[in-house]
Amino acid sequence: EIPPPETLSPVFREFGAAAVAILADERTGGCSYDDVVTMVAEQEEAQGEVPGPLPVISSDLIVDEIQIARAADAGAKAVTVTYGVVGAEKVMQFLKDAKALGLEVIVNVNSAEEAQGAVDAGASIISVTGVDGVDGKYAAIESLSIPEGRSVCTVANILAKDNKALEEVEEAWMCRDKGFNCVWVSDALYKSGSDPTEHPGAIINSMKAKSSVKYASPKARSGKGEGAREYLGDIMM
């Protein structure tokens, strides 16, 4: 069973996540906007501390600007929009709506065509979702054409595997090597059991560690492997 948001919130912060996302869609078994408020409030308790508060992302299936307004009202700093659901025109409109409310937008894509469409619509953050395997994810961003003067943050969504091998950690390392800026991890954080290496914080730590899949095993990582102390990049939950 996944612990409540107020319990997980400090774990994400203390173990080095760059942001924390709440699936604000009760219709699909997710959380509510009240949970977004709870997570924001817990993060704000870390004001003036190190590490400080994490930005909270409202991850809802957005089809209307009212949902963007609700996310802003709940204190979120970003929302997710799925290109394949709303299309280019709506993505462009939602980017404008979010900007007016001071929110960032993460556009979910699952193909090279959608990724380019999102960039052309003005997206500065794209997340490759619903694509299994590192090569498939990389294919979605490999040929991106980004206008001069703009930068685009690329996020790899790591799907949970139905095993205890922590293959997701290795996949995060490989996505880093392919040039992704961040990884988005959800269910893989909660494959927990009695093994302390499966604690969400331990998995975050392992994903952020730079190591080689040839010489290191995530489950047995001791910090003494090849380049193990180097920085991976940003990680989102």
Side-chain angles (χ1 to χ4, degrees), residues 70-87:
R70 288 189 69 188
D73 185 61
K77 298 297 184 184
V79 294
T80 58
V81 171
T82 302
Y83 188 96
V85 171
V86 300

Side-chain angles (χ1 to χ4, degrees), residues 62-101:
I62 290 179
V63 294
D64 190 280
E65 58 269 19
I66 291 176
Q67 293 165 282
I68 298 175
R70 288 189 69 188
D73 185 61
K77 298 297 184 184
V79 294
T80 58
V81 171
T82 302
Y83 188 96
V85 171
V86 300
E89 188 174 335
K90 276 288 190 180
V91 166
M92 192 177 298
Q93 182 59 53
F94 289 158
L95 285 167
K96 293 177 181 177
D97 295 336
K99 184 177 181 179
L101 294 171

Side-chain angles (χ1 to χ4, degrees), residues 57-196:
I57 303 165
S58 178
S59 179
D60 193 359
L61 184 62
I62 290 179
V63 294
D64 190 280
E65 58 269 19
I66 291 176
Q67 293 165 282
I68 298 175
R70 288 189 69 188
D73 185 61
K77 298 297 184 184
V79 294
T80 58
V81 171
T82 302
Y83 188 96
V85 171
V86 300
E89 188 174 335
K90 276 288 190 180
V91 166
M92 192 177 298
Q93 182 59 53
F94 289 158
L95 285 167
K96 293 177 181 177
D97 295 336
K99 184 177 181 179
L101 294 171
L103 297 180
E104 296 283 354
V105 176
I106 301 165
V107 181
N108 295 326
V109 301
N110 65 10
S111 68
E113 292 75 21
E114 289 188 1
Q116 189 61 58
V119 170
D120 293 344
S124 58
I125 309 174
I126 58 172
S127 177
V128 181
T129 63
V131 179
D132 199 11
V134 176
D135 290 340
K137 292 177 175 64
Y138 179 61
I141 66 165
E142 182 179 9
S143 301
L144 270 183
S145 177
I146 301 172
E148 186 176 353
R150 282 182 56 195
S151 60
V152 174
C153 175
T154 55
V155 184
N157 190 297
I158 306 294
L159 303 175
K161 305 293 192 296
D162 189 20
N163 57 48
K164 289 287 186 178
L166 295 185
E167 294 172 15
E168 300 89 349
V169 174
E170 294 185 353
E171 186 171 336
W173 294 347
M174 290 187 283
C175 285
R176 169 210 63 210
D177 292 341
K178 285 289 191 180
F180 279 95
N181 303 116
C182 314
V183 291
W184 179 299
V185 192
S186 52
D187 292 349
L189 293 175
Y190 312 115
K191 295 168 63 173
S192 53
S194 58
D195 189 334

Side-chain angles (χ1 to χ4, degrees), residues 24 31-38 58 60 62 67-68 70-71 74:
C31 299
S32 68
Y33 281 91
D34 288 339
D35 292 312
V36 176
V37 172
T38 298
S58 178
D60 193 359
I62 290 179
Q67 293 165 282
I68 298 175
R70 288 189 69 188

